[in-house]
Amino acid sequence: MSDQKTALVISAHAADFVWRCAGAIALHEEKGYDVTIACLSFGERGESAKLWKQEGGMTLEAVKKARRIEAENAAKALDAHDIVFFDLGDYPLEVTRDDKFKLVDLIRKVQPNFMLSHSQYDPYNTDHSFATTLAMECRMIAQAWGHNPGQKVLGAPQLYLFEPHQTEQMGWKPDVFLDITSVWDKKRAAIECMQGQEHLWDYYTNVAENRGNHFRRNSGGQAGGRPARYAEGFQSIYPRTVDEL
């Protein structure tokens, strides 16, 4: 049996994983994890305004192609193990039963040690909260011995919710801060791959700097008080079982 550590990111749109958990992806790849990114949609309708505003017109397929290239380049900048595109559409993001089972198949294939997805509530972008509801449902199905008997069932990986865009409005409260200072250059490189959303580059740099401050303010015990400059925040869904604190 393989002892390879793995992680799975479930991203509603092609850019979400970049803004919200690119540091975690790059850091865990450096630690020897194989991180798989699942993009449920390209964000072609709702998060590609710059592309749609280009002179000469734009088509849905052309936007999808551009977004795919951006996401692939970003994943490469992070040394991500794999990126999978489900192409389920956005605004709204909708899935069939078969789509759910395809995600379950991926979860079972990856056998993640932990998973990452969006906040549970997002009144500004329901695709995001829907993606996390889907992640939780598919995690549950992947644990069921009666679903596709004979496949290896999933254990009980933690689901971490990465930071939403307007944090205070989402009911999202981080209980984990991850120091990403050592891989910040990789995250910034991935951010700059997202040419269609250049207006967010500095915003998410500021978010990482702010979370770095929160890491420093809270790191006197477990993390030894090290002076992290950049960090990412996460909210865990399930209890964490430990032998010592």
Side-chain angles (χ1 to χ4, degrees):
M1 183 179 295
S2 173
D3 59 359
Q4 175 64 55
K5 292 184 177 181
T6 61
L8 177 63
V9 180
I10 298 177
S11 182
H13 311 108
D16 290 326
F17 74 90
V18 177
W19 318 123
R20 310 180 199 287
C21 66
I25 294 170
L27 184 66
H28 283 83
E29 283 287 352
E30 287 194 356
K31 290 180 178 294
Y33 282 71
D34 283 344
V35 183
T36 298
I37 303 163
C39 293
L40 301 181
S41 82
F42 293 106
E44 63 270 16
R45 293 186 179 89
E47 299 191 352
S48 303
K50 182 178 177 180
L51 293 170
W52 285 109
K53 291 176 182 178
Q54 289 182 9
E55 293 183 8
M58 184 60 68
T59 66
L60 195 64
E61 289 307 313
V63 173
K64 285 184 181 183
K65 181 178 179 180
R67 295 283 286 185
R68 182 181 187 122
I69 292 171
E70 289 178 354
E72 288 175 337
N73 288 340
K76 189 178 299 183
L78 302 172
D79 298 318
H81 173 70
D82 193 18
I83 184 166
V84 180
F85 299 97
F86 281 73
D87 193 12
L88 299 176
D90 68 322
Y91 283 59
L93 172 62
E94 296 177 315
V95 299
T96 65
R97 186 180 182 89
D98 285 343
D99 294 328
K100 291 180 182 180
F101 289 162
K102 288 177 183 176
L103 183 55
V104 172
D105 287 343
L106 180 64
I107 293 172
R108 282 190 167 179
K109 177 183 176 182
V110 173
Q111 290 289 320
N113 292 82
F114 65 87
M115 300 167 61
L116 293 162
S117 200
H118 298 262
S119 60
Q120 288 183 283
Y121 177 63
D122 189 336
Y124 298 95
N125 194 319
T126 56
D127 285 0
H128 292 163
S129 47
F130 180 74
T132 291
T133 298
L134 181 65
M136 294 172 69
E137 183 176 9
C138 289
R139 177 187 182 276
M140 174 191 74
I141 297 168
Q143 292 176 307
W145 284 85
H147 176 76
N148 289 344
Q151 285 185 346
K152 182 180 179 181
V153 299
L154 183 70
Q158 182 60 258
L159 175 62
Y160 291 105
L161 310 184
F162 43 60
E163 185 160 2
H165 187 63
Q166 299 187 60
T167 306
E168 294 83 0
Q169 307 302 316
M170 314 306 191
W172 177 88
K173 184 177 179 180
D175 54 20
V176 178
F177 292 112
L178 181 69
D179 180 3
I180 62 166
T181 307
S182 65
V183 293
W184 171 252
D185 289 346
K186 290 184 178 180
K187 175 162 183 172
R188 180 67 195 201
I191 284 174
E192 292 184 10
C193 289
M194 310 314 293
Q195 295 290 323
Q197 292 175 280
E198 189 175 350
H199 62 289
L200 294 178
W201 294 5
D202 289 341
Y203 178 89
Y204 279 101
T205 296
N206 290 338
V207 169
E209 290 172 338
N210 289 338
R211 293 309 178 192
N213 176 64
H214 292 159
F215 184 99
R216 294 192 299 273
R217 293 292 297 268
N218 289 278
S219 67
Q222 297 177 65
R226 66 176 180 267
R229 184 176 178 187
Y230 301 99
E232 290 173 340
F234 302 95
Q235 178 182 349
S236 56
I237 286 292
Y238 304 103
R240 283 170 286 174
T241 54
V242 300
D243 293 315
E244 61 181 87
L245 297 179

